[in-house]
Amino acid sequence: KGNIIVAGANGVYVSDTGADDNVISANQIGAVGGTAFGNGTGVVVQSGAKRTLISGTALNAGNYIGGNTGHGLVVDGSGTTDTRIIGNGIGNSAGLLPDFAQNGGDGIRILSPAASTVISVNVISNNAGNGVLISGTSAISNQVMANFIGRSVIGSPPFQFAYTNGGDGVRIQAGAHANQIGLPGLGNTISGNGNDGVGIRDTGSSSNTLYANIIGLTGDQLAKRGNGASGVALLSGAGNNVIGGSRDLGRGNVIAGNASAGIYLETSANTIFGNYIGTTGAFTTALGNGGSGIFVNNGAGNLLGYTLTLGYGNVIGANGGPGIDLTGASASNNRVYANKIGNDLYGVGAIPNASGGIRLTGGAHNNAIGGGIPNLLNVISGNTGPGVGIYNTGTSSNTVWVNTIGL
């Protein structure tokens, strides 16, 4: 049976080279039941400690890390690698009868140069900050998979939580790169957070992948549990990231039910394909995002869709704005290929976007809607408003060719 660890500067502190292969299991850290007796930080692993296991192997055997005045769990420092955070309740307990005591900061913080952390099968909710933060140029090769991050992530007990994280569900920033958020068969449910579901920001935050996640819905994909802003946001120079992938390999995300855009990007050279945006894997289920499906605000050189096989792009429907919105004088050289916009995966049922299929405005230029060959055509049908609308002075030199529009 675990310990009750409360009212310290840190609840558990693992530090320094040689402090390896320690196990932290079945403890209540910062709260007893739903009552906070907070530590400053719940658990700290730092300064070269390796292979720390923060975990439980059976129901209710994980740690309950809640009620701390700072962060729930911090992994930090040079040489701090291979930390495993598995099966815990962070901000809440993970058992059949959840208890709630808010951590005052982020649920989990991975700070450069700590690397190669595995965060899996945790319930991360009721934190004042982000659910998971990965920050810094050497914060690399971290995996976040099969977690429930946010509010009411399954529509019925045991995980029908009333609380949420105040910031992003997952935030990657300050040059953190080559991190994996979800894997095929091990996606996260990231819903009901106060800001973006997943936010990637800052120059150098690149080569991160988002696979197989449910963002903005309950885990069963039957109801909205929208994040307070966008489902996914790429901001402030974060480029060369991949959102989605081959549906055959199970890499696509379901991004629906969020308050603003499904995916918002103001950055360059990102790849977005194989996702359901505003709908689900049930093809015709309409659980749209409040804004556009994909909103490119002055981003350039992004690939929205796929370049090799017809129909391997995104399925974008039921959104409150256009399916895809390209806006701003710096929105250039984006490629929109092989998507289904306003209709289901098989092009049979309509899933209308409220403000048209694709909108180009505000000086967007030199963008390609379709690539001139059948494998790159978009099917743009069933939307409320124009299939493709091009507006405003300076919105020029865009190509719209070899698409199916209105059929």
Side-chain angles (χ1 to χ4, degrees), residues 316-327:
I316 307 172
N319 297 290
I324 296 176
D325 202 342
L326 303 173
T327 188

Side-chain angles (χ1 to χ4, degrees), residues 182-203:
L183 292 170
L186 294 171
N188 304 284
T189 300
I190 306 171
S191 299
N193 297 285
N195 196 41
D196 299 313
V198 179
I200 305 176
R201 58 184 65 208
D202 304 325
T203 300

Side-chain angles (χ1 to χ4, degrees), residues 212-280:
N213 301 289
I214 299 169
I215 303 175
L217 302 178
T218 53
D220 53 18
Q221 302 184 40
L222 295 179
K224 294 182 179 183
R225 293 292 184 271
N227 296 291
S230 297
V232 179
L234 292 96
L235 309 166
S236 304
N240 290 290
N241 297 287
V242 177
I243 303 171
S246 167
R247 277 185 287 271
D248 292 344
L249 297 177
R251 291 180 175 176
N253 302 284
V254 175
I255 305 171
N258 299 287
S260 188
I263 300 173
Y264 175 90
L265 61 155
E266 57 185 37
T267 64
S268 300
N270 300 288
T271 300
I272 301 170
F273 77 100
N275 303 290
Y276 298 96
I277 303 173
T279 182
T280 73

Side-chain angles (χ1 to χ4, degrees), residues 49-281:
K50 292 181 173 61
R51 298 182 299 278
T52 304
L53 175 62
I54 304 165
S55 178
T57 57
L59 184 65
N60 289 325
N63 300 282
Y64 169 27
I65 306 172
N68 299 288
T69 58
H71 310 296
L73 195 153
V74 175
V75 180
D76 188 13
S78 178
T80 306
T81 61
D82 301 301
T83 304
R84 290 161 291 163
I85 305 167
I86 302 171
N88 305 285
I90 301 172
N92 52 267
S93 66
L96 291 173
L97 296 173
D99 294 311
F100 298 92
Q102 186 179 73
N103 291 303
D106 299 324
I108 299 173
R109 289 170 67 89
I110 310 300
L111 304 179
S112 176
S116 301
T117 302
V118 174
I119 303 170
S120 183
V121 203
N122 302 284
V123 178
I124 306 168
S125 184
N126 195 33
N127 299 286
N130 306 295
V132 177
L133 173 73
I134 302 172
S135 182
T137 56
S138 296
I140 63 172
S141 301
N142 300 290
Q143 295 181 315
V144 181
M145 53 191 182
N147 300 284
F148 299 104
I149 304 174
R151 173 184 177 271
S152 294
V153 290
I154 294 178
S156 59
F159 298 121
Q160 192 172 17
F161 302 135
Y163 298 94
T164 185
N165 299 301
D168 296 343
V170 177
R171 177 177 293 185
I172 299 172
Q173 66 178 29
H177 58 282
N179 299 288
Q180 295 177 313
I181 310 303
L183 292 170
L186 294 171
N188 304 284
T189 300
I190 306 171
S191 299
N193 297 285
N195 196 41
D196 299 313
V198 179
I200 305 176
R201 58 184 65 208
D202 304 325
T203 300
S205 297
S206 63
S207 301
N208 300 291
T209 59
L210 275 65
Y211 293 154
N213 301 289
I214 299 169
I215 303 175
L217 302 178
T218 53
D220 53 18
Q221 302 184 40
L222 295 179
K224 294 182 179 183
R225 293 292 184 271
N227 296 291
S230 297
V232 179
L234 292 96
L235 309 166
S236 304
N240 290 290
N241 297 287
V242 177
I243 303 171
S246 167
R247 277 185 287 271
D248 292 344
L249 297 177
R251 291 180 175 176
N253 302 284
V254 175
I255 305 171
N258 299 287
S260 188
I263 300 173
Y264 175 90
L265 61 155
E266 57 185 37
T267 64
S268 300
N270 300 288
T271 300
I272 301 170
F273 77 100
N275 303 290
Y276 298 96
I277 303 173
T279 182
T280 73

Side-chain angles (χ1 to χ4, degrees), residues 289-392:
N289 300 289
S292 304
I294 302 175
F295 186 5
V296 180
N297 183 10
N298 282 301
N302 297 289
L303 173 60
L304 313 181
Y306 197 59
T307 59
L308 297 177
T309 304
L310 178 65
Y312 267 49
N314 304 287
V315 178
I316 307 172
N319 297 290
I324 296 176
D325 202 342
L326 303 173
T327 188
S330 297
S332 64
N333 297 301
N334 297 290
R335 294 166 292 160
V336 181
Y337 295 161
N339 300 287
K340 301 294 180 69
I341 304 172
N343 55 95
D344 67 23
L345 179 63
Y346 299 109
V348 176
I351 318 173
N353 295 292
S355 301
I358 299 175
R359 179 170 64 191
L360 298 95
T361 187
H365 60 95
N366 295 101
N367 299 288
I369 312 301
I373 59 175
N375 277 1
L376 302 184
L377 69 82
N378 301 285
V379 179
I380 309 168
S381 303
N383 298 287
T384 303
V388 179
I390 300 175
Y391 306 94
N392 305 134

